[in-house]
Amino acid sequence: MFNPYQMEKRTLFYWSNMYHHQINEGANYGELKKCVTINILNYSCLPNDRYHNVFHLREDHTLIPLIDDIEVHVMELPKLEQHPIPVEGRQTFCFSCRPKPASIRFFGYRPAFVHPHASGCFQGLLTSITTALGSSG
């Protein structure tokens, strides 16, 4: 798989930075809140057919969660070409063209990508992410 940007390590680095900066040294750890990172990629790096993957911190054998404070979403836009998504009020998301960088910043780190021909696609994608986050806790 293609992964020129060390996304796994980069994701954990940015996640840990968000988590760490919630409280000051000596503060109560109980004040730490869940942090969610969302990576919208214009390349595929995971060895499956899913366009939206969600990761948590769990024990390997029993899958017992250690803590729910870490959640990582990876959305691979090229995989949407094989899996059109029905969206209320529209026929489907359409990612048949190469996504182009937008001026929108996600969590202040990296630009998100918007389909160049359908402004509603990005809004629908954000709705899909928001729905997934709402159902995940």
Side-chain angles (χ1 to χ4, degrees):
M1 297 263 75
F2 178 70
N3 190 359
Y5 307 108
Q6 305 266 332
M7 280 310 295
E8 298 90 345
K9 291 181 184 276
R10 188 180 207 176
T11 297
L12 288 180
F13 176 80
Y14 285 128
W15 177 88
S16 66
N17 196 20
M18 282 192 306
Y19 198 70
H20 170 264
H21 284 96
Q22 289 184 62
I23 62 173
N24 294 319
E25 187 174 334
N28 181 348
Y29 290 119
E31 295 176 19
L32 289 168
K33 306 271 190 274
K34 179 177 186 171
C35 287
V36 176
T37 63
I38 301 171
N39 298 305
I40 302 175
L41 309 177
N42 65 348
Y43 62 92
S44 294
C45 65
L46 297 174
N48 65 28
D49 292 335
R50 297 178 53 83
Y51 67 88
H52 181 200
N53 293 272
V54 183
F55 298 92
H56 296 93
L57 190 57
R58 302 191 192 289
E59 198 282 329
D60 285 347
H61 301 285
T62 63
L63 302 180
I64 296 169
L66 177 63
I67 191 166
D68 193 40
D69 284 7
I70 183 170
E71 185 170 310
V72 176
H73 291 253
V74 178
M75 300 193 78
E76 300 167 295
L77 296 182
K79 291 181 181 177
L80 284 171
E81 293 175 5
Q82 292 99 31
H83 304 282
I85 305 168
V87 178
E88 189 175 320
R90 295 177 183 84
Q91 289 187 346
T92 60
F93 281 127
C94 175
F95 286 95
S96 58
C97 300
R98 272 278 191 238
K100 294 182 180 178
S103 59
I104 299 167
R105 288 203 169 277
F106 239 47
F107 296 120
Y109 294 115
R110 297 288 175 257
F113 293 91
V114 179
H115 184 274
H117 299 178
S119 61
C121 286
F122 186 66
Q123 185 58 45
L125 182 60
L126 289 178
T127 301
S128 174
I129 293 169
T130 304
T131 301
L133 290 174
S135 66
S136 65

PDB file of all heavy atoms in Angstrom, residues 15-38:
ATOM      1  N   TRP A  15      -2.695  13.384  17.522  1.00  0.00           N
ATOM      2  CA  TRP A  15      -3.662  13.006  18.552  1.00  0.00           C
ATOM      3  C   TRP A  15      -3.077  13.269  19.938  1.00  0.00           C
ATOM      4  O   TRP A  15      -3.723  13.869  20.790  1.00  0.00           O
ATOM      5  CB  TRP A  15      -4.064  11.527  18.419  1.00  0.00           C
ATOM      6  CG  TRP A  15      -5.009  11.142  19.522  1.00  0.00           C
ATOM      7  CD1 TRP A  15      -6.364  11.252  19.511  1.00  0.00           C
ATOM      8  CD2 TRP A  15      -4.655  10.654  20.814  1.00  0.00           C
ATOM      9  NE1 TRP A  15      -6.880  10.859  20.717  1.00  0.00           N
ATOM     10  CE2 TRP A  15      -5.844  10.484  21.538  1.00  0.00           C
ATOM     11  CE3 TRP A  15      -3.449  10.352  21.445  1.00  0.00           C
ATOM     12  CZ2 TRP A  15      -5.874  10.025  22.843  1.00  0.00           C
ATOM     13  CZ3 TRP A  15      -3.473   9.886  22.750  1.00  0.00           C
ATOM     14  CH2 TRP A  15      -4.671   9.729  23.433  1.00  0.00           C
ATOM     15  N   SER A  16      -1.841  12.819  20.164  1.00  0.00           N
ATOM     16  CA  SER A  16      -1.221  12.986  21.481  1.00  0.00           C
ATOM     17  C   SER A  16      -1.037  14.460  21.816  1.00  0.00           C
ATOM     18  O   SER A  16      -1.178  14.865  22.976  1.00  0.00           O
ATOM     19  CB  SER A  16       0.112  12.239  21.565  1.00  0.00           C
ATOM     20  OG  SER A  16       1.066  12.812  20.697  1.00  0.00           O
ATOM     21  N   ASN A  17      -0.766  15.267  20.807  1.00  0.00           N
ATOM     22  CA  ASN A  17      -0.619  16.705  21.026  1.00  0.00           C
ATOM     23  C   ASN A  17      -1.949  17.316  21.480  1.00  0.00           C
ATOM     24  O   ASN A  17      -1.982  18.120  22.426  1.00  0.00           O
ATOM     25  CB  ASN A  17      -0.125  17.362  19.736  1.00  0.00           C
ATOM     26  CG  ASN A  17       0.419  18.743  19.959  1.00  0.00           C
ATOM     27  OD1 ASN A  17       0.784  19.116  21.061  1.00  0.00           O
ATOM     28  ND2 ASN A  17       0.483  19.514  18.895  1.00  0.00           N
ATOM     29  N   MET A  18      -3.048  16.927  20.821  1.00  0.00           N
ATOM     30  CA  MET A  18      -4.371  17.417  21.237  1.00  0.00           C
ATOM     31  C   MET A  18      -4.689  16.970  22.660  1.00  0.00           C
ATOM     32  O   MET A  18      -5.183  17.745  23.474  1.00  0.00           O
ATOM     33  CB  MET A  18      -5.465  16.893  20.299  1.00  0.00           C
ATOM     34  CG  MET A  18      -5.566  17.599  18.986  1.00  0.00           C
ATOM     35  SD  MET A  18      -7.093  17.180  18.077  1.00  0.00           S
ATOM     36  CE  MET A  18      -7.061  15.401  18.021  1.00  0.00           C
ATOM     37  N   TYR A  19      -4.422  15.710  22.953  1.00  0.00           N
ATOM     38  CA  TYR A  19      -4.733  15.141  24.266  1.00  0.00           C
ATOM     39  C   TYR A  19      -3.893  15.807  25.350  1.00  0.00           C
ATOM     40  O   TYR A  19      -4.414  16.226  26.384  1.00  0.00           O
ATOM     41  CB  TYR A  19      -4.484  13.625  24.228  1.00  0.00           C
ATOM     42  CG  TYR A  19      -5.156  12.853  25.330  1.00  0.00           C
ATOM     43  CD1 TYR A  19      -6.539  12.708  25.357  1.00  0.00           C
ATOM     44  CD2 TYR A  19      -4.414  12.234  26.328  1.00  0.00           C
ATOM     45  CE1 TYR A  19      -7.162  11.977  26.350  1.00  0.00           C
ATOM     46  CE2 TYR A  19      -5.028  11.501  27.320  1.00  0.00           C
ATOM     47  CZ  TYR A  19      -6.406  11.380  27.334  1.00  0.00           C
ATOM     48  OH  TYR A  19      -7.027  10.653  28.325  1.00  0.00           O
ATOM     49  N   HIS A  20      -2.616  15.936  25.096  1.00  0.00           N
ATOM     50  CA  HIS A  20      -1.673  16.507  26.060  1.00  0.00           C
ATOM     51  C   HIS A  20      -2.001  17.951  26.416  1.00  0.00           C
ATOM     52  O   HIS A  20      -1.878  18.367  27.565  1.00  0.00           O
ATOM     53  CB  HIS A  20      -0.256  16.409  25.473  1.00  0.00           C
ATOM     54  CG  HIS A  20       0.773  17.150  26.240  1.00  0.00           C
ATOM     55  ND1 HIS A  20       1.170  18.420  25.887  1.00  0.00           N
ATOM     56  CD2 HIS A  20       1.486  16.818  27.332  1.00  0.00           C
ATOM     57  CE1 HIS A  20       2.095  18.840  26.733  1.00  0.00           C
ATOM     58  NE2 HIS A  20       2.306  17.876  27.622  1.00  0.00           N
ATOM     59  N   HIS A  21      -2.415  18.735  25.443  1.00  0.00           N
ATOM     60  CA  HIS A  21      -2.631  20.161  25.677  1.00  0.00           C
ATOM     61  C   HIS A  21      -3.991  20.506  26.275  1.00  0.00           C
ATOM     62  O   HIS A  21      -4.315  21.683  26.432  1.00  0.00           O
ATOM     63  CB  HIS A  21      -2.385  20.946  24.387  1.00  0.00           C
ATOM     64  CG  HIS A  21      -0.927  21.086  24.092  1.00  0.00           C
ATOM     65  ND1 HIS A  21      -0.273  20.230  23.232  1.00  0.00           N
ATOM     66  CD2 HIS A  21       0.009  21.932  24.577  1.00  0.00           C
ATOM     67  CE1 HIS A  21       1.001  20.559  23.189  1.00  0.00           C
ATOM     68  NE2 HIS A  21       1.201  21.584  23.991  1.00  0.00           N
ATOM     69  N   GLN A  22      -4.752  19.508  26.689  1.00  0.00           N
ATOM     70  CA  GLN A  22      -6.029  19.783  27.348  1.00  0.00           C
ATOM     71  C   GLN A  22      -5.842  20.273  28.778  1.00  0.00           C
ATOM     72  O   GLN A  22      -6.669  21.030  29.278  1.00  0.00           O
ATOM     73  CB  GLN A  22      -6.892  18.526  27.393  1.00  0.00           C
ATOM     74  CG  GLN A  22      -7.441  18.092  26.069  1.00  0.00           C
ATOM     75  CD  GLN A  22      -8.353  16.901  26.250  1.00  0.00           C
ATOM     76  OE1 GLN A  22      -9.371  16.994  26.931  1.00  0.00           O
ATOM     77  NE2 GLN A  22      -7.986  15.789  25.645  1.00  0.00           N
ATOM     78  N   ILE A  23      -4.797  19.795  29.433  1.00  0.00           N
ATOM     79  CA  ILE A  23      -4.574  20.165  30.832  1.00  0.00           C
ATOM     80  C   ILE A  23      -3.124  20.619  31.030  1.00  0.00           C
ATOM     81  O   ILE A  23      -2.260  20.312  30.219  1.00  0.00           O
ATOM     82  CB  ILE A  23      -4.891  18.994  31.799  1.00  0.00           C
ATOM     83  CG1 ILE A  23      -3.979  17.793  31.529  1.00  0.00           C
ATOM     84  CG2 ILE A  23      -6.355  18.602  31.717  1.00  0.00           C
ATOM     85  CD1 ILE A  23      -4.115  16.660  32.550  1.00  0.00           C
ATOM     86  N   ASN A  24      -2.911  21.332  32.119  1.00  0.00           N
ATOM     87  CA  ASN A  24      -1.562  21.770  32.474  1.00  0.00           C
ATOM     88  C   ASN A  24      -0.906  20.758  33.394  1.00  0.00           C
ATOM     89  O   ASN A  24      -1.581  19.923  34.022  1.00  0.00           O
ATOM     90  CB  ASN A  24      -1.613  23.133  33.162  1.00  0.00           C
ATOM     91  CG  ASN A  24      -2.095  24.225  32.226  1.00  0.00           C
ATOM     92  OD1 ASN A  24      -1.710  24.265  31.061  1.00  0.00           O
ATOM     93  ND2 ASN A  24      -2.950  25.101  32.729  1.00  0.00           N
ATOM     94  N   GLU A  25       0.399  20.839  33.507  1.00  0.00           N
ATOM     95  CA  GLU A  25       1.147  19.958  34.399  1.00  0.00           C
ATOM     96  C   GLU A  25       0.593  20.067  35.822  1.00  0.00           C
ATOM     97  O   GLU A  25       0.318  21.157  36.301  1.00  0.00           O
ATOM     98  CB  GLU A  25       2.621  20.358  34.387  1.00  0.00           C
ATOM     99  CG  GLU A  25       3.509  19.393  35.145  1.00  0.00           C
ATOM    100  CD  GLU A  25       4.982  19.740  34.999  1.00  0.00           C
ATOM    101  OE1 GLU A  25       5.364  20.357  33.992  1.00  0.00           O
ATOM    102  OE2 GLU A  25       5.735  19.364  35.909  1.00  0.00           O
ATOM    103  N   GLY A  26       0.389  18.920  36.449  1.00  0.00           N
ATOM    104  CA  GLY A  26      -0.122  18.878  37.815  1.00  0.00           C
ATOM    105  C   GLY A  26      -1.634  18.878  37.908  1.00  0.00           C
ATOM    106  O   GLY A  26      -2.186  18.731  38.996  1.00  0.00           O
ATOM    107  N   ALA A  27      -2.327  19.052  36.802  1.00  0.00           N
ATOM    108  CA  ALA A  27      -3.792  19.060  36.812  1.00  0.00           C
ATOM    109  C   ALA A  27      -4.322  17.639  36.979  1.00  0.00           C
ATOM    110  O   ALA A  27      -3.600  16.655  36.829  1.00  0.00           O
ATOM    111  CB  ALA A  27      -4.322  19.681  35.524  1.00  0.00           C
ATOM    112  N   ASN A  28      -5.597  17.538  37.277  1.00  0.00           N
ATOM    113  CA  ASN A  28      -6.265  16.253  37.473  1.00  0.00           C
ATOM    114  C   ASN A  28      -6.442  15.561  36.118  1.00  0.00           C
ATOM    115  O   ASN A  28      -7.054  16.113  35.207  1.00  0.00           O
ATOM    116  CB  ASN A  28      -7.629  16.502  38.133  1.00  0.00           C
ATOM    117  CG  ASN A  28      -8.391  15.232  38.404  1.00  0.00           C
ATOM    118  OD1 ASN A  28      -8.049  14.149  37.924  1.00  0.00           O
ATOM    119  ND2 ASN A  28      -9.442  15.357  39.187  1.00  0.00           N
ATOM    120  N   TYR A  29      -5.926  14.325  35.984  1.00  0.00           N
ATOM    121  CA  TYR A  29      -6.064  13.577  34.736  1.00  0.00           C
ATOM    122  C   TYR A  29      -7.526  13.302  34.391  1.00  0.00           C
ATOM    123  O   TYR A  29      -7.861  13.081  33.224  1.00  0.00           O
ATOM    124  CB  TYR A  29      -5.300  12.253  34.802  1.00  0.00           C
ATOM    125  CG  TYR A  29      -3.803  12.424  34.806  1.00  0.00           C
ATOM    126  CD1 TYR A  29      -3.034  11.967  35.879  1.00  0.00           C
ATOM    127  CD2 TYR A  29      -3.149  13.043  33.750  1.00  0.00           C
ATOM    128  CE1 TYR A  29      -1.661  12.124  35.892  1.00  0.00           C
ATOM    129  CE2 TYR A  29      -1.775  13.206  33.751  1.00  0.00           C
ATOM    130  CZ  TYR A  29      -1.039  12.749  34.825  1.00  0.00           C
ATOM    131  OH  TYR A  29       0.318  12.902  34.832  1.00  0.00           O
ATOM    132  N   GLY A  30      -8.391  13.324  35.370  1.00  0.00           N
ATOM    133  CA  GLY A  30      -9.812  13.108  35.139  1.00  0.00           C
ATOM    134  C   GLY A  30     -10.441  14.191  34.270  1.00  0.00           C
ATOM    135  O   GLY A  30     -11.532  14.022  33.738  1.00  0.00           O
ATOM    136  N   GLU A  31      -9.762  15.315  34.119  1.00  0.00           N
ATOM    137  CA  GLU A  31     -10.263  16.407  33.280  1.00  0.00           C
ATOM    138  C   GLU A  31     -10.026  16.162  31.788  1.00  0.00           C
ATOM    139  O   GLU A  31     -10.564  16.877  30.951  1.00  0.00           O
ATOM    140  CB  GLU A  31      -9.602  17.727  33.687  1.00  0.00           C
ATOM    141  CG  GLU A  31      -9.959  18.171  35.091  1.00  0.00           C
ATOM    142  CD  GLU A  31      -9.213  19.437  35.500  1.00  0.00           C
ATOM    143  OE1 GLU A  31      -8.716  20.153  34.614  1.00  0.00           O
ATOM    144  OE2 GLU A  31      -9.126  19.684  36.706  1.00  0.00           O
ATOM    145  N   LEU A  32      -9.203  15.164  31.459  1.00  0.00           N
ATOM    146  CA  LEU A  32      -8.924  14.874  30.047  1.00  0.00           C
ATOM    147  C   LEU A  32     -10.180  14.365  29.350  1.00  0.00           C
ATOM    148  O   LEU A  32     -10.898  13.520  29.875  1.00  0.00           O
ATOM    149  CB  LEU A  32      -7.809  13.835  29.921  1.00  0.00           C
ATOM    150  CG  LEU A  32      -6.414  14.315  30.292  1.00  0.00           C
ATOM    151  CD1 LEU A  32      -5.457  13.131  30.414  1.00  0.00           C
ATOM    152  CD2 LEU A  32      -5.905  15.316  29.272  1.00  0.00           C
ATOM    153  N   LYS A  33     -10.449  14.888  28.179  1.00  0.00           N
ATOM    154  CA  LYS A  33     -11.608  14.499  27.384  1.00  0.00           C
ATOM    155  C   LYS A  33     -11.166  13.650  26.192  1.00  0.00           C
ATOM    156  O   LYS A  33     -10.019  13.690  25.773  1.00  0.00           O
ATOM    157  CB  LYS A  33     -12.315  15.743  26.842  1.00  0.00           C
ATOM    158  CG  LYS A  33     -12.704  16.754  27.892  1.00  0.00           C
ATOM    159  CD  LYS A  33     -14.067  16.456  28.432  1.00  0.00           C
ATOM    160  CE  LYS A  33     -14.592  17.573  29.311  1.00  0.00           C
ATOM    161  NZ  LYS A  33     -14.176  17.488  30.692  1.00  0.00           N
ATOM    162  N   LYS A  34     -12.103  12.917  25.647  1.00  0.00           N
ATOM    163  CA  LYS A  34     -11.859  12.101  24.453  1.00  0.00           C
ATOM    164  C   LYS A  34     -11.390  12.993  23.307  1.00  0.00           C
ATOM    165  O   LYS A  34     -11.926  14.082  23.097  1.00  0.00           O
ATOM    166  CB  LYS A  34     -13.151  11.389  24.061  1.00  0.00           C
ATOM    167  CG  LYS A  34     -13.053  10.529  22.827  1.00  0.00           C
ATOM    168  CD  LYS A  34     -14.383   9.828  22.579  1.00  0.00           C
ATOM    169  CE  LYS A  34     -14.275   8.845  21.447  1.00  0.00           C
ATOM    170  NZ  LYS A  34     -15.490   8.028  21.340  1.00  0.00           N
ATOM    171  N   CYS A  35     -10.401  12.524  22.563  1.00  0.00           N
ATOM    172  CA  CYS A  35      -9.927  13.221  21.359  1.00  0.00           C
ATOM    173  C   CYS A  35     -10.120  12.309  20.156  1.00  0.00           C
ATOM    174  O   CYS A  35      -9.795  11.131  20.212  1.00  0.00           O
ATOM    175  CB  CYS A  35      -8.451  13.590  21.482  1.00  0.00           C
ATOM    176  SG  CYS A  35      -8.131  14.934  22.609  1.00  0.00           S
ATOM    177  N   VAL A  36     -10.629  12.880  19.097  1.00  0.00           N
ATOM    178  CA  VAL A  36     -10.896  12.144  17.865  1.00  0.00           C
ATOM    179  C   VAL A  36     -10.099  12.803  16.748  1.00  0.00           C
ATOM    180  O   VAL A  36     -10.122  14.021  16.600  1.00  0.00           O
ATOM    181  CB  VAL A  36     -12.401  12.179  17.524  1.00  0.00           C
ATOM    182  CG1 VAL A  36     -12.680  11.499  16.197  1.00  0.00           C
ATOM    183  CG2 VAL A  36     -13.218  11.554  18.638  1.00  0.00           C
ATOM    184  N   THR A  37      -9.361  11.996  15.997  1.00  0.00           N
ATOM    185  CA  THR A  37      -8.707  12.516  14.798  1.00  0.00           C
ATOM    186  C   THR A  37      -9.412  11.942  13.580  1.00  0.00           C
ATOM    187  O   THR A  37      -9.866  10.791  13.599  1.00  0.00           O
ATOM    188  CB  THR A  37      -7.208  12.158  14.733  1.00  0.00           C
ATOM    189  OG1 THR A  37      -7.064  10.751  14.658  1.00  0.00           O
ATOM    190  CG2 THR A  37      -6.461  12.675  15.937  1.00  0.00           C
ATOM    191  N   ILE A  38      -9.512  12.753  12.553  1.00  0.00           N
ATOM    192  CA  ILE A  38     -10.147  12.333  11.310  1.00  0.00           C
ATOM    193  C   ILE A  38      -9.170  12.618  10.186  1.00  0.00           C
ATOM    194  O   ILE A  38      -8.796  13.768   9.953  1.00  0.00           O
ATOM    195  CB  ILE A  38     -11.469  13.083  11.072  1.00  0.00           C
ATOM    196  CG1 ILE A  38     -12.433  12.837  12.231  1.00  0.00           C
ATOM    197  CG2 ILE A  38     -12.088  12.658   9.734  1.00  0.00           C
ATOM    198  CD1 ILE A  38     -13.680  13.705  12.192  1.00  0.00           C
TER     199      ILE A  38
END
